[in-house]
Amino acid sequence: MPSPRVPPQVYFVGSAVCHYLGPAFAVLLFPRVGPLGVAWLRIASAAAVFGGWRRPWRSLPRHGAGAPLGAAWLPVLALGLVLAAMNVVFYQAIARLPLATVGAIEFLGPVALAAAGLRGRRNLAALAFAVGGVALLADVRLRDEPLGLVLAFANCALFVAYVVLSKRIAATGAGVDRLGAAMLVAAVVVSPVALGSAAPAFADPVLLAAGAAVGVCSSVLPYVLDQLALARLSRAGFALLLALLPATATVIGLVVLRQVPRPADLAGIVLVVAGVALHREGRTA
């Protein structure tokens, strides 16, 4: 359970850092195992951690109310499918586009969730700042990487589904356990597609450990912190805080991958931070 003494925004900031720090290091693994291989290592290692730590299957009912799967199973299965697809598409996108670009596009869907749920002039102004910042950060390269752009927008749509489904399982009070169950589903789904690409890692313990570290940093820590934040934030408030993601991606892309931001990127970061600072969570948000 999240501590009431820790503001939910603190959980989110930790999630935002992990969300892109892991993928930044994953890019460094691409020459050895490729995007698909890294996606499998990330999901499989996260599933192993959740399985050993939480034993998440115990959190689900063993029978449904007249349905084979039961009402509790359906969001978990759906989230597992989304996690599998989102990870594969995301790594394929960042193999073709800068991390900051994919991070900015990733936000465009959740901003619609924020727009649908926010009330009051202050929060609408916050949304305007955040959207303006993302517009500056989004360095869309249609002519250079059309496939990368398609993948980035597909990842955006999947990220919206992740937010909606994560909020639903967070409301059950067993969010972390059901997230773990969803990650096990994701591992089963992604293995036929990506396990072969990860094969070189099994012959190199260092490479295997690096892939596992990416999984913990990318899929265990941020997703658990998301659940702790979502338990106390509205979906709209959480969606607005997601505006921090493209700014975080820009900073991590610079530090880890030496992807130097343009002046427009820096202006975008300022606008995004201003939007998040203006936002106030309320009963009507």
Side-chain angles (χ1 to χ4, degrees):
M1 293 294 292
S3 170
R5 297 181 180 180
V6 180
Q9 291 83 358
V10 172
Y11 292 125
F12 183 85
V13 170
S15 171
V17 172
C18 293
H19 189 80
Y20 288 115
L21 187 60
F25 287 116
V27 170
L28 304 178
L29 297 178
F30 284 172
R32 300 289 301 278
V33 293
L36 272 180
V38 174
W40 186 87
L41 289 169
R42 169 178 172 170
I43 293 172
S45 58
V49 170
F50 277 119
W53 171 36
R54 305 294 299 191
R55 297 183 181 179
W57 50 87
R58 299 183 302 180
S59 71
L60 295 169
R62 299 184 184 278
H63 57 84
L69 295 175
W73 278 93
L74 294 178
V76 170
L77 291 172
L79 183 58
L81 292 172
V82 167
L83 288 172
M86 185 174 71
N87 279 281
V88 169
V89 169
F90 176 74
Y91 281 126
Q92 293 287 353
I94 65 173
R96 294 168 172 83
L97 293 173
L99 187 60
T101 299
V102 177
I105 294 173
E106 188 172 52
F107 169 74
L108 296 178
V111 76
L113 295 178
L118 292 176
R119 299 292 184 274
R121 293 181 181 178
R122 183 186 183 109
N123 283 341
L124 290 176
L127 181 62
F129 274 114
V131 171
V134 170
L136 286 173
L137 282 166
D139 179 24
V140 178
R141 304 179 181 188
L142 268 171
R143 289 177 295 179
D144 296 337
E145 283 292 349
L147 178 57
L149 182 62
V150 170
L151 291 166
F153 275 103
N155 176 66
C156 167
L158 290 164
F159 197 64
V160 172
Y162 163 74
V163 173
V164 173
L165 290 168
S166 292
K167 179 62 178 176
R168 183 175 299 179
I169 68 170
T172 66
V176 174
D177 290 331
R178 296 190 180 186
L179 168 65
M183 192 62 70
L184 292 173
V185 171
V188 172
V189 170
V190 80
S191 289
V193 177
L195 178 57
S197 297
F202 297 114
D204 187 339
V206 174
L207 190 59
L208 190 62
V214 167
V216 172
C217 188
S218 301
S219 290
V220 177
L221 294 176
Y223 293 166
V224 168
L225 291 171
D226 281 351
Q227 285 297 309
L228 297 178
L230 279 163
R232 291 167 56 198
L233 287 169
S234 70
R235 190 176 67 187
F238 183 81
L240 182 63
L241 282 174
L242 290 172
L244 281 174
L245 294 183
T248 305
T250 301
V251 173
I252 291 176
L254 170 63
V255 173
V256 179
L257 301 176
R258 300 295 187 264
Q259 295 174 344
V260 180
R262 308 163 303 166
D265 295 325
L266 298 177
I269 291 174
V270 171
L271 286 175
V272 166
V273 172
V276 173
L278 274 174
H279 170 61
R280 288 292 180 272
E281 184 75 14
R283 289 179 298 178
T284 57

